[in-house]
Amino acid sequence: MADIYLLTHPKSTTFVDSYNSLLKFGYNPIIINGYTKEDNIKPNTIAFRSFKDKIFPKAIEQNKPFFYIEDDTIINEPLPELTEDIVRVAYWKLCKDEKKKRICIGSSIVFFNTNIFDLLKKEIDKVRPQFIDLFFSKVCNRNNIEEILYKNYNWNEKMHTSAIINKIRRHKKVIE
């Protein structure tokens, strides 16, 4: 089974529900306290920096496939067994950038296989901090890797005030 890294922060109002939804299916997630605005990090780069500095080094050390899960994500069914390089299990929408490259918005649950670790390490070290979902899509686009979009996974996002936009998150997957 892949490791599960649950990214949270000390002031999270959604962590308990996310954590409990994972426990309900027998998972024992590795809790990662990510950066916050108090760490003088731009809000739109908090998840990227937390992934780069706190999650990915642990994943490399363990050398096991892993799920990256954000702390506002509620799972309603077991996580899928996956073998592909990168799979967006739970995301918001798919769109294209100005160069007609596919960009997946939202990184609620993302799976990474070990055979992508070297490439991820190379890419994460050469780019400036950015939105984490944009980074994942750019890695795939630049390296001709198919970013698999898992269809029909049953999940929700706990309603909360976004640290990035400082507004309440509202989209079709949000629950109160």
Side-chain angles (χ1 to χ4, degrees):
M1 177 61 188
D3 282 342
I4 298 170
Y5 293 97
L6 179 60
L7 179 62
T8 190
H9 58 88
K11 295 181 181 176
S12 174
T13 60
T14 59
F15 166 77
V16 171
D17 293 320
S18 182
Y19 182 73
N20 286 339
S21 77
L22 290 162
L23 290 179
K24 181 172 82 174
F25 290 101
Y27 301 121
N28 186 21
I30 300 162
I31 300 164
I32 304 293
N33 277 310
Y35 293 114
T36 65
K37 288 187 280 190
E38 286 77 24
D39 294 312
N40 293 318
I41 294 175
K42 289 170 47 176
N44 63 331
T45 67
I46 287 173
F48 175 89
R49 297 278 302 273
S50 297
F51 181 87
K52 178 182 179 183
D53 298 344
K54 298 183 177 202
I55 294 175
F56 195 53
K58 288 185 185 304
I60 289 172
E61 183 180 302
Q62 293 300 313
N63 197 33
K64 289 174 61 181
F66 72 96
F67 286 93
Y68 161 85
I69 301 181
E70 295 177 345
D71 72 352
D72 55 0
T73 305
I74 310 296
I75 67 168
N76 300 316
E77 65 180 298
L79 293 166
E81 294 287 331
L82 300 168
T83 57
E84 298 85 0
D85 291 337
I86 297 179
V87 181
R88 295 285 184 111
V89 177
Y91 57 93
W92 299 341
K93 65 181 177 179
L94 186 63
C95 54
K96 295 187 188 284
D97 69 6
E98 64 277 354
K99 296 176 185 167
K100 305 294 185 222
K101 297 283 186 177
R102 188 171 91 165
I103 304 295
C104 185
I105 306 299
S107 297
S108 296
I109 304 174
V110 185
F111 172 80
F112 299 92
N113 208 334
T114 54
N115 39 337
I116 198 81
F117 283 12
D118 289 341
L119 178 63
L120 267 178
K121 176 78 174 125
K122 182 181 81 170
E123 290 283 338
I124 209 165
D125 286 340
K126 75 178 184 181
V127 300
R128 64 178 169 66
Q130 58 193 278
F131 286 104
I132 191 74
D133 46 1
L134 186 59
F135 169 72
F136 295 150
S137 288
K138 283 180 176 179
V139 167
C140 293
N141 287 332
R142 275 198 293 263
N143 296 284
N144 292 322
I145 295 169
E146 183 179 5
E147 184 178 30
I148 307 295
L149 303 179
Y150 196 85
K151 301 290 184 196
N152 302 319
Y153 183 72
N154 188 2
W155 69 287
N156 292 99
E157 182 175 306
K158 186 78 175 160
M159 188 179 341
H160 66 288
T161 300
S162 168
I164 295 172
I165 61 174
N166 201 27
K167 292 182 182 174
I168 293 178
R169 284 264 192 227
R170 296 196 189 281
H171 53 79
K172 65 183 178 183
K173 287 285 185 182
V174 171
I175 59 172
E176 294 188 35

